[in-house]
Amino acid sequence: NISDNISIGSAVNVLFRNKLTIGYVESITKNVSYNGKINNIKSICESESISSDVWKIIKWMSNYYITPLGLCIKSAVPSLNSNDVNPQKQVFIKMNNNNQSIIKNHKLSKNQQLVVDELITANQPLPIKHFKPLISNIYSVIKRLYELEIISKIYIDKDYNTSSKYDSTLNLSKAQQKVYNQIEPYINQNKYKGFLIHGIPGSGKTEIYIKLAHRVINKGKNVIILIPEIILTTQMKDRFLKYFGNMVAVWHSKMTASEKRYTLQKIKNGDYKIIIGARSSIFSSISNIGLIVIDEEQDSSYKQESPKPYYNARDVGFMRALHAKCPIVLTSATPSLESYYNSIMDKLTLIELNKTYYKSQPPLIHVVNMLDHFSDDGQQTIISPLLLEKIKDTISNNGQCIILNNRRGYATSVFSKSTNNPISCDYCDVPMSYHKSTNSLLCHYCDSVKKKDQILNQNQSNEIILNGYGTEKIQEILQKLFPDISIARLDSDTLRKKDTLKSILSNFKDGKTKILIGTQMLSKGLDFDNVQLVGVINADYGMFTPDFRSGEKTFQIISQVIGRSGRREEQGLAIIQTYNPDNPSLVNAITSNSKTFYASTLSERNELSYPPFTRLCRITFSGPNLEKVQNISNQVTNTFKQSNQFKVLGPSEAPIPKIRNQWRINSLIIANKKNPLAIQQFFDLKIGTDKIDKAYNNVSIKLDIDPMSML
């Protein structure tokens, strides 16, 4: 009987509009209030069913982020709808036995002999890709050896982690061991507890949770480790493979459907015990969790900005740890104000790590006031003489440099002399950036493109001025100054291809690339041994955005990027270029004065009743007709204003008034900390969630609970 095997969260095949469709069981009841015809469940779809602990998280998300259950399921359950059912096979070749006589009877070509010698030396099957660097026409060579029956082919499932050797010894320093000892009892007792490890860059936070993961796995339980950027998965995975071999799986959005399916199967079989990945990994189907780690917990990438649900994986992590009865460990060199505040309020246990793991001194820091560096014709200097001199010194000293510039592209805007304005996107209210590699103007909000040549036809060639500078321009300047040096660029433009990231990072790690230029993704937790210099081209990007978190973000990026320099025995150097050397967030980052930064920022937030002292919801109204958007925004916001339980700001034009031809108006609803669901319940009761499920009068209403960005 099917019904005996059905539980809440089961995926079932049902007929819907005469098509077999997967549905999820939300609740089970004896009595039915529906009078129409009810179709029977055809069968249970085991592979798609949701475990009870993940189901609890999905239900919580649906309530907290006011999102239909279906969309929460879609977000949490990986979409594997592709025809690519078989995991990819990798072709290995091996020597046939008793083939010595065959080899003697045939005169082998030089390349054929090379393949045979390699196989005899290895004394085990080798993948075809092993031979690709050695022989250009490898496939025809193998085809011939196969016809002669000297070798045979084997097809092996392409296991994405092939290493099985690993090292289980890891010695912690005294300071690290102390942190470990505070967390370990909660693993042993299966108890929920939140920890925040606030450790300076290079203090060895990763080693602590590798050691904790050992303890968890020895207890027969599993581990989820969240990292903010896909860019960090490779590095983190390599560190874990060293200690756990092929118990480690990686999970992120760039994986193919077959890679995901393969990984899920291995999780189900219990082969994988550690999942490392970006935010969606928090929904991993791995059961029996003994530890959750959120690395770089302050990072805004943990917040999903689109599509619904607009969840924060860090907060979902707390719910998951609560249900799993296990500790959750947040780590950061620059914790978010929310987490720092929670540690003051004893919701989290704060553990400080103030010593670096290696005996290196903290980097020397020079601040360059760029107002002193205008050239005679009034042009701004992009790279200061001091930074140039130090890049030269570092390269001659055989060191490496990281250069941060938090804008991609070549020029941040293109100015038209005829209109006296920057050239804006046709669909958004923002200037377009010029990208030299594609010779086009790109909108960084909707990705629309204008070819530069068309613009020049509309204006005379001397009519446009390139303004500002992005990573492309910095790379061009440095490549001209250092023509013989390998320089790479890391930003979302260069990461469009799947394997680019791997090659950029491995070339930098091996020392082939001397200078790595990139956007803020460079500041996040990457660890390279030989970086002697970090340069920040413009520390002011983002400092003055109309967002109450802009100071916090500046503090975090600058502190993090300084920490990328001098990671081992050597003392590093950081050069920060700015037009605002007295900005308090910048000064605190440069002097590593986190206590002052947190104290002053918390008192500011308290005064303005912003998080972490309150709960915040940003409602964004958008639509093609500005008048309608204004009307609806007034209606909804006034409903909140009439209630005395909220402080309401708005409605007012969003900082970017138009994106993708949609006019945008924001309202902020600020609620008391006590009831986490006050805003959600009020909206449901007084306005109705049907208004946000689809456009209401052609106006979309987006409710973002705990927003990370105000733009």
Side-chain angles (χ1 to χ4, degrees), residues 361 363 531-534 560-567 570-574:
Q361 296 289 313
V531 174
Q532 292 171 17
L533 172 68
V534 163
Q560 294 271 358
V561 80
I562 289 171
R564 301 285 121 324
S565 158
R567 305 278 290 181
E570 298 267 322
Q571 183 173 25
L573 175 66

PDB file of all heavy atoms in Angstrom, residues 361 363 531-534 560-567 570-574:
ATOM      1  N   GLN A 361      54.972  38.963  10.873  1.00  0.00           N
ATOM      2  CA  GLN A 361      54.512  40.227  11.459  1.00  0.00           C
ATOM      3  C   GLN A 361      53.291  40.692  10.666  1.00  0.00           C
ATOM      4  O   GLN A 361      53.181  40.396   9.491  1.00  0.00           O
ATOM      5  CB  GLN A 361      55.611  41.292  11.286  1.00  0.00           C
ATOM      6  CG  GLN A 361      56.891  40.986  12.034  1.00  0.00           C
ATOM      7  CD  GLN A 361      56.691  41.147  13.536  1.00  0.00           C
ATOM      8  OE1 GLN A 361      56.131  42.125  13.976  1.00  0.00           O
ATOM      9  NE2 GLN A 361      57.119  40.152  14.298  1.00  0.00           N
ATOM     10  N   PRO A 363      51.263  43.076   8.232  1.00  0.00           N
ATOM     11  CA  PRO A 363      51.864  43.838   7.133  1.00  0.00           C
ATOM     12  C   PRO A 363      52.077  45.315   7.482  1.00  0.00           C
ATOM     13  O   PRO A 363      51.357  45.879   8.307  1.00  0.00           O
ATOM     14  CB  PRO A 363      50.840  43.712   6.003  1.00  0.00           C
ATOM     15  CG  PRO A 363      49.643  43.084   6.583  1.00  0.00           C
ATOM     16  CD  PRO A 363      49.982  42.481   7.886  1.00  0.00           C
ATOM     17  N   VAL A 531      52.631  36.190  -1.553  1.00  0.00           N
ATOM     18  CA  VAL A 531      52.143  37.547  -1.825  1.00  0.00           C
ATOM     19  C   VAL A 531      52.841  38.504  -0.865  1.00  0.00           C
ATOM     20  O   VAL A 531      52.637  38.450   0.341  1.00  0.00           O
ATOM     21  CB  VAL A 531      50.612  37.639  -1.655  1.00  0.00           C
ATOM     22  CG1 VAL A 531      50.149  39.084  -1.807  1.00  0.00           C
ATOM     23  CG2 VAL A 531      49.929  36.758  -2.686  1.00  0.00           C
ATOM     24  N   GLN A 532      53.696  39.359  -1.428  1.00  0.00           N
ATOM     25  CA  GLN A 532      54.437  40.300  -0.569  1.00  0.00           C
ATOM     26  C   GLN A 532      53.816  41.687  -0.586  1.00  0.00           C
ATOM     27  O   GLN A 532      54.065  42.498   0.292  1.00  0.00           O
ATOM     28  CB  GLN A 532      55.893  40.384  -1.050  1.00  0.00           C
ATOM     29  CG  GLN A 532      56.641  39.075  -0.804  1.00  0.00           C
ATOM     30  CD  GLN A 532      58.010  39.058  -1.470  1.00  0.00           C
ATOM     31  OE1 GLN A 532      58.537  40.095  -1.848  1.00  0.00           O
ATOM     32  NE2 GLN A 532      58.574  37.883  -1.631  1.00  0.00           N
ATOM     33  N   LEU A 533      52.990  41.951  -1.622  1.00  0.00           N
ATOM     34  CA  LEU A 533      52.430  43.300  -1.737  1.00  0.00           C
ATOM     35  C   LEU A 533      50.955  43.236  -2.108  1.00  0.00           C
ATOM     36  O   LEU A 533      50.556  42.487  -3.000  1.00  0.00           O
ATOM     37  CB  LEU A 533      53.187  44.075  -2.834  1.00  0.00           C
ATOM     38  CG  LEU A 533      52.609  45.447  -3.218  1.00  0.00           C
ATOM     39  CD1 LEU A 533      52.752  46.444  -2.084  1.00  0.00           C
ATOM     40  CD2 LEU A 533      53.299  45.988  -4.477  1.00  0.00           C
ATOM     41  N   VAL A 534      50.157  44.026  -1.398  1.00  0.00           N
ATOM     42  CA  VAL A 534      48.758  44.204  -1.777  1.00  0.00           C
ATOM     43  C   VAL A 534      48.572  45.688  -2.061  1.00  0.00           C
ATOM     44  O   VAL A 534      48.984  46.534  -1.263  1.00  0.00           O
ATOM     45  CB  VAL A 534      47.818  43.766  -0.627  1.00  0.00           C
ATOM     46  CG1 VAL A 534      46.427  44.330  -0.831  1.00  0.00           C
ATOM     47  CG2 VAL A 534      47.762  42.250  -0.538  1.00  0.00           C
ATOM     48  N   GLN A 560      40.211  42.844   5.021  1.00  0.00           N
ATOM     49  CA  GLN A 560      40.425  41.512   4.441  1.00  0.00           C
ATOM     50  C   GLN A 560      41.561  41.535   3.423  1.00  0.00           C
ATOM     51  O   GLN A 560      42.413  40.655   3.413  1.00  0.00           O
ATOM     52  CB  GLN A 560      39.138  41.027   3.741  1.00  0.00           C
ATOM     53  CG  GLN A 560      37.979  40.768   4.680  1.00  0.00           C
ATOM     54  CD  GLN A 560      37.959  39.350   5.222  1.00  0.00           C
ATOM     55  OE1 GLN A 560      38.783  38.529   4.870  1.00  0.00           O
ATOM     56  NE2 GLN A 560      37.024  39.077   6.100  1.00  0.00           N
ATOM     57  N   VAL A 561      41.580  42.564   2.570  1.00  0.00           N
ATOM     58  CA  VAL A 561      42.579  42.561   1.498  1.00  0.00           C
ATOM     59  C   VAL A 561      43.976  42.814   2.073  1.00  0.00           C
ATOM     60  O   VAL A 561      44.969  42.246   1.605  1.00  0.00           O
ATOM     61  CB  VAL A 561      42.204  43.549   0.369  1.00  0.00           C
ATOM     62  CG1 VAL A 561      42.544  44.970   0.691  1.00  0.00           C
ATOM     63  CG2 VAL A 561      42.890  43.142  -0.930  1.00  0.00           C
ATOM     64  N   ILE A 562      44.057  43.626   3.147  1.00  0.00           N
ATOM     65  CA  ILE A 562      45.363  43.840   3.786  1.00  0.00           C
ATOM     66  C   ILE A 562      45.896  42.495   4.291  1.00  0.00           C
ATOM     67  O   ILE A 562      47.086  42.197   4.196  1.00  0.00           O
ATOM     68  CB  ILE A 562      45.234  44.854   4.959  1.00  0.00           C
ATOM     69  CG1 ILE A 562      44.993  46.269   4.418  1.00  0.00           C
ATOM     70  CG2 ILE A 562      46.480  44.843   5.847  1.00  0.00           C
ATOM     71  CD1 ILE A 562      44.642  47.311   5.480  1.00  0.00           C
ATOM     72  N   GLY A 563      44.967  41.666   4.780  1.00  0.00           N
ATOM     73  CA  GLY A 563      45.367  40.363   5.334  1.00  0.00           C
ATOM     74  C   GLY A 563      45.847  39.352   4.310  1.00  0.00           C
ATOM     75  O   GLY A 563      46.342  38.281   4.652  1.00  0.00           O
ATOM     76  N   ARG A 564      45.702  39.670   3.007  1.00  0.00           N
ATOM     77  CA  ARG A 564      46.196  38.735   1.975  1.00  0.00           C
ATOM     78  C   ARG A 564      47.718  38.842   1.817  1.00  0.00           C
ATOM     79  O   ARG A 564      48.330  38.091   1.089  1.00  0.00           O
ATOM     80  CB  ARG A 564      45.558  39.032   0.603  1.00  0.00           C
ATOM     81  CG  ARG A 564      44.042  38.943   0.581  1.00  0.00           C
ATOM     82  CD  ARG A 564      43.546  37.532   0.607  1.00  0.00           C
ATOM     83  NE  ARG A 564      42.819  37.039   1.446  1.00  0.00           N
ATOM     84  CZ  ARG A 564      42.433  36.948   2.749  1.00  0.00           C
ATOM     85  NH1 ARG A 564      42.591  37.166   3.367  1.00  0.00           N
ATOM     86  NH2 ARG A 564      41.816  36.516   3.570  1.00  0.00           N
ATOM     87  N   SER A 565      48.311  39.857   2.455  1.00  0.00           N
ATOM     88  CA  SER A 565      49.731  40.126   2.219  1.00  0.00           C
ATOM     89  C   SER A 565      50.589  39.548   3.338  1.00  0.00           C
ATOM     90  O   SER A 565      50.231  39.661   4.507  1.00  0.00           O
ATOM     91  CB  SER A 565      49.904  41.648   2.135  1.00  0.00           C
ATOM     92  OG  SER A 565      51.223  42.001   2.400  1.00  0.00           O
ATOM     93  N   GLY A 566      51.745  38.953   2.965  1.00  0.00           N
ATOM     94  CA  GLY A 566      52.700  38.450   3.969  1.00  0.00           C
ATOM     95  C   GLY A 566      52.109  37.347   4.810  1.00  0.00           C
ATOM     96  O   GLY A 566      51.894  37.509   5.995  1.00  0.00           O
ATOM     97  N   ARG A 567      51.814  36.193   4.185  1.00  0.00           N
ATOM     98  CA  ARG A 567      51.070  35.158   4.904  1.00  0.00           C
ATOM     99  C   ARG A 567      51.981  34.146   5.604  1.00  0.00           C
ATOM    100  O   ARG A 567      51.512  33.332   6.351  1.00  0.00           O
ATOM    101  CB  ARG A 567      50.147  34.392   3.938  1.00  0.00           C
ATOM    102  CG  ARG A 567      49.213  35.253   3.156  1.00  0.00           C
ATOM    103  CD  ARG A 567      47.985  35.623   3.937  1.00  0.00           C
ATOM    104  NE  ARG A 567      47.107  34.488   4.160  1.00  0.00           N
ATOM    105  CZ  ARG A 567      45.960  34.566   4.795  1.00  0.00           C
ATOM    106  NH1 ARG A 567      45.577  35.721   5.295  1.00  0.00           N
ATOM    107  NH2 ARG A 567      45.205  33.511   4.966  1.00  0.00           N
ATOM    108  N   GLU A 570      57.503  35.956   5.874  1.00  0.00           N
ATOM    109  CA  GLU A 570      57.845  37.328   5.454  1.00  0.00           C
ATOM    110  C   GLU A 570      56.820  38.352   5.967  1.00  0.00           C
ATOM    111  O   GLU A 570      55.639  38.048   6.045  1.00  0.00           O
ATOM    112  CB  GLU A 570      57.803  37.399   3.915  1.00  0.00           C
ATOM    113  CG  GLU A 570      58.796  36.508   3.219  1.00  0.00           C
ATOM    114  CD  GLU A 570      60.090  37.229   2.900  1.00  0.00           C
ATOM    115  OE1 GLU A 570      60.025  38.421   2.541  1.00  0.00           O
ATOM    116  OE2 GLU A 570      61.154  36.603   3.029  1.00  0.00           O
ATOM    117  N   GLN A 571      57.300  39.554   6.222  1.00  0.00           N
ATOM    118  CA  GLN A 571      56.339  40.620   6.526  1.00  0.00           C
ATOM    119  C   GLN A 571      55.858  41.229   5.211  1.00  0.00           C
ATOM    120  O   GLN A 571      56.646  41.544   4.332  1.00  0.00           O
ATOM    121  CB  GLN A 571      56.993  41.715   7.379  1.00  0.00           C
ATOM    122  CG  GLN A 571      55.981  42.788   7.765  1.00  0.00           C
ATOM    123  CD  GLN A 571      56.540  43.800   8.749  1.00  0.00           C
ATOM    124  OE1 GLN A 571      57.742  44.004   8.811  1.00  0.00           O
ATOM    125  NE2 GLN A 571      55.670  44.435   9.514  1.00  0.00           N
ATOM    126  N   GLY A 572      54.544  41.374   5.074  1.00  0.00           N
ATOM    127  CA  GLY A 572      53.989  41.895   3.821  1.00  0.00           C
ATOM    128  C   GLY A 572      53.867  43.410   3.860  1.00  0.00           C
ATOM    129  O   GLY A 572      54.170  44.064   4.858  1.00  0.00           O
ATOM    130  N   LEU A 573      53.406  43.939   2.732  1.00  0.00           N
ATOM    131  CA  LEU A 573      53.238  45.386   2.611  1.00  0.00           C
ATOM    132  C   LEU A 573      51.887  45.639   1.946  1.00  0.00           C
ATOM    133  O   LEU A 573      51.506  44.936   1.004  1.00  0.00           O
ATOM    134  CB  LEU A 573      54.373  45.934   1.728  1.00  0.00           C
ATOM    135  CG  LEU A 573      54.331  47.416   1.360  1.00  0.00           C
ATOM    136  CD1 LEU A 573      54.506  48.283   2.601  1.00  0.00           C
ATOM    137  CD2 LEU A 573      55.428  47.735   0.347  1.00  0.00           C
ATOM    138  N   ALA A 574      51.147  46.625   2.452  1.00  0.00           N
ATOM    139  CA  ALA A 574      49.873  46.987   1.818  1.00  0.00           C
ATOM    140  C   ALA A 574      49.893  48.484   1.538  1.00  0.00           C
ATOM    141  O   ALA A 574      50.298  49.270   2.386  1.00  0.00           O
ATOM    142  CB  ALA A 574      48.712  46.636   2.731  1.00  0.00           C
TER     143      ALA A 574
END
